[in-house]
Amino acid sequence: MQKQLLIIPQAILITISCLKPQPVSEAAVVRDYSLLVHASYLQARKDAQAMQKSVSDFLAAPGDAGLKSARDSWIKARVSYSQTEAFRFYGGPIDRPKSQGKEEGPEALLNSWPVNESYIDYVKGNPGAGIINDPRIQINATTLTGKNQQKDEADVATGFHAIEFLLWGQDFNPAGPGDRPVSDYTTKSNHERRKQYLRVTTDMVVTQLRSLEEDWAPGKENNYAAEFQKLNSKVALGHILTGLVTLAGFELASERTATALKSGDQEDEQSCFSDNTHNDFINNIQGILNVYEGRVGDYSGIGLDAWIKSASPEMADQILEALRSTKDKAISLPVPVDSILASPKNSDSRQKLESLSHALAQDAKLFQKAGILLGVDARLIAE
Amino acid sequence: MVMCKGFPIVLVLLSLSECRRARDPGLQYSGGETTVFVTSSLAFSSPAANLDVDKMPAFTFGNRVFNTNWVTAPSSTKNFDGLGPFFNRVSCSSCHLLDGRGQPPETPKDTMDSMLVRVSLPGESEVGGPRPHPIYGDQINDRAILGVKPEGRITVRYVEIAGNYPDGKHYDLRRPVYSFRLNYGDAPGILFSPRVAPAIHGLGLLEAIPEAAILAIARLQASSGIQGKPNYVFNALTGGKSLGRFGWKANVPTLRQQNAGAALGDIGLTSEIFPRENITAIQKDNKALASVAGLGGDSVDLKTEFLDDLTFYTQTLGVPARRNHKDPEIRKGEQIFSQIGCSGCHVPTFETGEHPAGIKEVSHQVVHPYTDLLLHDMGSDLADGRPDFQASGSEWRTPPLWGIGLVEAVNRHTTLLHDGRARNLEEAILWHGGQAARAREAFKNMSEKERTLLLRFLKSL
């Protein structure tokens, strides 16, 4: 008899706790976010290493198959990299400002765009252009780092889009990507320098991602992950939200969509050489969803949703639904994105991109609201 | 301590037609709620802190236009071509680097990279402004598109002037001397005015200061010997005259007109406000130019939507916050600033009204620009001898001082005044003449310690 009596209250307790949102400690959210970021950079580093291997194989014996393989590996590496952009904008390891004893974060070296192609290599109408065709310039990591955006933001020398330009070349085709020939790496003037440039820039990406991975590694005493755990939890949560608000509300809604729509200029399309921009959008949004749901790849932990749910289940659901809807919009964009930009003013495809842009701004607003509700400073940092 | 006929800090709170009372976030918030807390090289480049997320696309695209390197037409980037035929730089950002302040060449070998030279002949244009030179118009363009010779080149050298404070301390000033090499014929009797690019933060706030508030200051000043005067200038939209607010002599009434005028005069871009290419009748005889003049036809180089967003961008840049405003030494410096009369023209505080284009972020803000937007005679040493609407050859608009302490962080120099002759704040003060001579003398007569306090205050802005 006793046993039965015990069981019933337990059942009631379990039922009640399933109905009521579990209180989630802010420290737990911060801790698990840290683990998620580490898992994300780890994956990005692995994919960059795969890209490095493909590029290396291609350079050892340049041919069409090798070039295709290198291109595919770049596209694959972009999937995990784009998801890490949700960790930008609060001065974490990716974009910490330069200070005593610490170098500036590697974001500008990793992902700057648009790229002034003639700064790196030949372009249509200027066959001798660029660092590659200037034998006075040494092609190594130190030099290229110094040359990156030296006098002009568009004079990009390193990073994913420099590599992209080296793999695809200029894109003159509104219906497809750039079409750089393999001969650029075999017989074209300065082909050895071009190979070196591709090699060095690819190696740099791996090095930078590895260092980000280490900055966020758990169980260390002196890295950023350790510092991040020690922050006042409201400050840390403010950072987390600031990353999401700014990525959605500024970088995506404005820089990467609205601006491109308004200018109609291919230069405003992020991955303009490879025509991979639609995947950038999808994966940027996925990155936000990862933080929200607390999972990426094999990693699963407490996400922002649990924390927001404990204050307002309605808001938590609203955010999830909004993010999923935004992701759907990105998935159903006509491709390639430059065909959207080239299409006439009120076309269907333009409206789709405008709708995506608008949705991203609204997502940012929802996160701002969540911040206010939870007493956390979620800012939109624009430059 | 020098006690002059000090001008009290005037707090103007005119709520004329506005029913709202503005919130005052405090002295640290130079730009009211638009204030951004940035002290890096991006101090002038951030959007207003209170900018609505929904307006980010307009701001961001305006920034994109501001940074655009325009190219010669025809080109594959057809939305961003139409450069020239004459220009000074190919983008707004080239002169207003990081939305900041330009500087003069340091030696005769250096080009003018963020500075230009306005020209004219004595007399007035048909709208009452400077009379354009028949060959060179109202500005020398030192660059041109391929196949066209630039209008000319101007170089600068400096004459050092040594001086001593009454307490014996030494100072140096430098006076610029200009040489012209003109490519389309001599220009005897031409008037000229060298002008560096001013920083562009806070302009929407200045645009929203009620005219009545500015005129009220002028009336107050009339009784104290400073006599600032408004400049009524040509308004391209109405065809009539409006209060000028922008430019070294307050010669432009609205930001939209300022941007369109600069686009044409500095980059060679036509727009709906100024649809004709910037070529004088005499230069049209040049064959290369004649073909360029024909291009464009009905459409303008700078599309109206682009001009709209560019203008919105210039209206909604945030103002950087003051640093260390509570520091007792800086407070002391601010008191001295008021006591010797600086704040008479560099008016510390205004309350903006409803912005003319309804931009709520800059409306009803309590702001601290340290300017009265009025013209003042600054003496013969600073005069350019070139009248501009109602500004005489020795009158200049009081420039705003907000952000002045951050120019070094943004643009890596500390030159000041319209031609950048002052190498720092101290020299800028020493050049003050005319209506400002008394305040300048008070500065010179102060103790070294007091001068230092005043300079520290200015650097905190």
Side-chain angles (χ1 to χ4, degrees):
Chain A
M1 277 315 264
Q2 253 190 343
K3 264 194 193 159
Q4 278 181 322
L5 279 167
L6 277 168
I7 288 169
I8 295 167
Q10 286 240 7
I12 292 170
L13 275 171
I14 290 166
T15 317
I16 289 171
S17 67
C18 285
L19 289 172
K20 220 172 62 172
Q22 291 281 26
V24 169
S25 87
E26 291 178 349
V29 178
V30 171
R31 175 200 68 214
D32 281 8
Y33 169 84
S34 211
L35 294 171
L36 179 123
V37 174
H38 175 251
S40 305
Y41 279 125
L42 191 154
Q43 186 61 45
R45 186 262 302 163
K46 281 188 168 157
D47 291 338
Q49 279 178 309
M51 175 177 70
Q52 186 182 37
K53 170 103 187 19
S54 268
V55 164
S56 176
D57 289 345
F58 166 64
L59 293 175
D64 283 322
L67 182 56
K68 175 164 196 321
S69 181
R71 288 174 177 172
D72 288 346
S73 71
W74 182 92
I75 291 180
K76 181 147 197 295
R78 291 290 293 170
V79 173
S80 48
Y81 183 77
S82 300
Q83 292 179 39
T84 68
E85 293 206 87
F87 318 139
R88 287 174 61 188
F89 307 115
Y90 55 84
I94 181 69
D95 48 16
R96 84 163 60 87
K98 188 168 182 166
S99 68
Q100 281 164 329
K102 284 222 166 100
E103 278 299 306
E104 199 181 334
E107 207 280 329
L109 291 166
L110 272 168
N111 198 40
S112 286
W113 64 281
V115 169
N116 182 359
E117 300 102 332
S118 61
Y119 191 66
I120 298 175
D121 198 4
Y122 75 86
V123 291
K124 197 183 216 179
N126 195 349
I131 295 169
I132 286 174
N133 294 303
D134 184 348
R136 298 168 301 176
I137 304 175
Q138 281 209 345
I139 298 178
N140 56 45
T142 311
T143 312
L144 294 187
T145 301
K147 287 226 162 266
N148 191 49
Q149 298 171 316
Q150 204 177 22
K151 286 191 186 157
D152 191 319
E153 259 184 44
D155 284 347
V156 173
T158 64
F160 276 105
H161 299 293
I163 297 170
E164 184 195 2
F165 174 56
L166 288 166
L167 291 174
W168 274 274
Q170 290 177 292
D171 178 4
F172 296 113
N173 180 2
D179 192 19
R180 192 189 276 272
V182 173
S183 52
D184 278 6
Y185 290 95
T186 55
T187 51
K188 187 140 184 108
S189 56
N190 292 305
H191 60 268
E192 284 304 326
R193 286 176 60 82
R194 191 165 292 109
K195 286 164 78 171
Q196 176 68 355
Y197 203 109
L198 181 53
R199 184 178 297 122
V200 168
T201 46
T202 306
D203 290 347
M204 283 173 76
V205 167
V206 174
T207 306
Q208 285 152 356
L209 288 172
R210 189 180 278 116
S211 120
L212 289 164
E213 187 191 339
E214 278 161 12
D215 266 324
W216 283 97
K220 298 274 164 82
E221 295 208 327
N222 288 324
N223 67 0
Y224 186 80
E227 264 175 55
F228 195 73
Q229 308 299 323
K230 291 190 196 129
L231 288 173
N232 173 313
S233 62
K234 289 245 185 276
V235 170
L237 287 161
H239 286 334
I240 296 172
L241 277 177
T242 294
L244 303 183
V245 170
T246 307
L247 180 60
F250 170 64
E251 191 65 36
L252 285 169
S254 289
E255 295 267 44
R256 299 186 183 183
T257 54
T259 295
L261 279 164
K262 285 181 190 234
S263 76
D265 187 1
Q266 214 203 38
E267 219 180 70
D268 291 317
E269 193 212 330
Q270 196 198 165
S271 296
C272 60
F273 309 113
S274 60
D275 276 353
N276 192 49
T277 306
H278 60 289
N279 284 324
D280 294 332
F281 292 151
I282 295 168
N283 288 304
N284 283 152
I285 297 162
Q286 185 57 51
I288 297 173
L289 267 163
N290 294 346
V291 173
Y292 191 66
E293 294 184 293
R295 51 169 198 246
V296 64
D298 291 332
Y299 171 80
S300 181
I302 299 171
L304 284 185
D305 57 356
W307 173 56
I308 294 173
K309 198 171 249 167
S310 66
S312 166
E314 300 80 39
M315 180 175 277
D317 287 339
Q318 194 188 7
I319 293 177
L320 183 62
E321 206 184 293
L323 290 176
R324 284 184 175 156
S325 160
T326 304
K327 186 176 164 187
D328 284 338
K329 286 185 202 261
I331 290 171
S332 47
L333 278 180
V335 293
V337 168
D338 54 354
S339 70
I340 304 178
L341 304 182
S343 70
K345 216 151 195 180
N346 290 312
S347 69
D348 209 42
S349 60
R350 271 190 168 258
Q351 279 174 11
K352 287 205 164 109
L353 187 54
E354 270 160 28
S355 167
L356 173 62
S357 180
H358 183 75
L360 287 158
Q362 301 321 301
D363 294 342
K365 280 182 156 171
L366 282 175
F367 281 121
Q368 278 176 324
K369 267 176 74 182
I372 293 171
L373 183 69
L374 287 147
V376 156
D377 187 19
R379 291 185 293 148
L380 190 145
I381 316 268
E383 293 165 3
Chain B
M1 181 67 64
V2 177
M3 289 301 289
C4 246
K5 189 175 173 187
F7 201 96
I9 293 173
V10 177
L11 186 80
V12 183
L13 290 172
L14 276 181
S15 319
L16 303 170
S17 52
E18 294 88 38
C19 310
R20 273 187 50 177
R21 199 100 198 120
R23 274 187 303 250
D24 182 359
L27 208 57
Q28 190 187 18
Y29 289 74
S30 305
E33 291 166 329
T34 71
T35 304
V36 292
F37 286 78
V38 188
T39 55
S40 69
S41 62
L42 300 171
F44 303 148
S45 303
S46 304
N50 58 351
L51 189 68
D52 196 306
V53 172
D54 286 328
K55 296 194 193 168
M56 265 297 159
F59 177 89
T60 309
F61 189 66
N63 183 24
R64 195 264 189 248
V65 176
F66 190 82
N67 289 318
T68 295
N69 288 336
W70 293 83
V71 294
T72 312
S75 98
S76 55
T77 47
K78 52 183 163 49
N79 285 334
F80 297 105
D81 67 5
L83 172 70
F86 296 106
F87 57 95
N88 292 86
R89 299 304 301 275
V90 303
S91 69
C92 311
S93 56
S94 304
C95 284
H96 299 276
L97 195 61
L98 293 166
D99 305 291
R101 189 184 186 115
Q103 58 188 298
E106 282 301 304
T107 76
K109 288 205 184 82
D110 300 314
T111 46
M112 281 193 175
D113 291 337
S114 52
M115 180 178 192
L116 50 80
V117 177
R118 288 285 169 88
V119 294
S120 59
L121 282 180
E124 282 185 359
S125 70
E126 54 205 19
V127 295
R131 192 172 131 223
H133 189 276
I135 303 172
Y136 299 105
D138 68 353
Q139 182 170 312
I140 302 292
N141 294 124
D142 58 359
R143 292 167 170 89
I145 60 175
L146 208 61
V148 176
K149 214 167 188 180
E151 288 188 329
R153 198 185 137 162
I154 302 135
T155 54
V156 193
R157 67 181 171 85
Y158 297 94
V159 174
E160 290 281 333
I161 301 167
N164 287 309
Y165 287 98
D167 68 10
K169 182 167 186 259
H170 185 82
Y171 63 76
D172 286 302
L173 300 176
R174 61 174 190 178
R175 172 190 296 284
V177 178
Y178 297 89
S179 300
F180 287 71
R181 197 187 61 211
L182 298 173
N183 293 331
Y184 289 85
D186 286 337
I190 200 171
L191 305 174
F192 70 92
S193 180
R195 299 177 181 190
V196 297
I200 62 166
H201 55 286
L203 298 181
L205 293 165
L206 296 182
E207 204 172 31
I209 295 176
E211 181 167 341
I214 296 169
L215 298 179
I217 298 276
R219 281 195 300 276
L220 272 167
Q221 289 173 348
S223 57
S224 72
I226 296 182
Q227 272 139 355
K229 128 184 159 206
N231 197 357
Y232 284 98
V233 303
F234 175 65
N235 184 320
L237 191 68
T238 65
K241 288 273 163 57
S242 294
L243 176 68
R245 298 166 186 253
F246 305 107
W248 285 101
K249 295 207 180 201
N251 62 353
V252 187
T254 69
L255 278 170
R256 198 155 193 277
Q257 188 174 324
Q258 166 63 33
N259 293 335
L264 183 69
D266 309 343
I267 308 180
L269 307 174
T270 55
S271 65
E272 73 167 12
I273 301 185
F274 300 117
R276 287 205 309 250
E277 288 287 353
N278 191 21
I279 310 171
T280 58
I282 293 175
Q283 289 167 332
K284 274 205 180 88
D285 290 342
N286 178 312
K287 269 201 199 110
L289 283 173
S291 63
V292 170
L295 282 168
D298 290 333
S299 65
V300 294
D301 302 324
L302 177 62
K303 289 158 55 144
T304 298
E305 311 96 85
F306 288 22
L307 175 61
D308 289 343
D309 279 353
L310 175 66
T311 299
F312 183 75
Y313 171 75
T314 59
Q315 287 162 330
T316 55
L317 282 165
V319 177
R322 281 188 63 185
R323 282 78 57 216
N324 305 314
H325 70 293
K326 288 199 178 136
D327 181 321
E329 295 215 323
I330 286 177
R331 280 196 158 154
K332 198 90 202 53
E334 178 146 27
Q335 277 170 16
I336 295 171
F337 182 81
S338 165
Q339 276 155 3
I340 67 170
C342 313
S343 55
C345 304
H346 289 287
V347 172
T349 304
F350 274 102
E351 183 176 326
T352 65
E354 183 75 9
H355 182 273
I359 300 174
K360 67 170 173 29
E361 286 84 349
V362 299
S363 304
H364 308 294
Q365 294 294 333
V366 177
V367 298
H368 309 287
Y370 292 87
T371 172
D372 57 8
L373 295 181
L374 296 167
L375 300 170
H376 296 274
D377 187 323
M378 293 299 288
S380 53
D381 284 334
L382 282 178
D384 60 4
R386 179 184 177 270
D388 204 331
F389 290 95
Q390 292 170 324
S392 74
S394 54
E395 285 174 330
W396 297 95
R397 178 196 74 150
T398 314
L401 297 179
W402 55 12
I404 206 159
L406 288 168
V407 173
E408 185 165 13
V410 176
N411 298 113
R412 301 193 227 173
H413 70 84
T414 54
T415 64
L416 294 167
L417 300 181
H418 67 276
D419 50 17
R421 66 175 69 179
R423 288 166 288 205
N424 50 49
L425 284 159
E426 182 191 6
E427 290 189 21
I429 297 171
L430 290 169
W431 277 105
H432 279 49
Q435 292 176 14
R438 201 192 311 181
R440 178 201 67 218
E441 287 307 302
F443 176 76
K444 286 169 90 168
N445 284 317
M446 287 191 302
S447 69
E448 165 86 356
K449 173 80 205 259
E450 286 166 323
R451 290 197 292 267
T452 305
L453 289 173
L454 177 60
L455 293 172
R456 278 202 65 199
F457 158 68
L458 290 170
K459 289 201 181 105
S460 78
L461 293 177

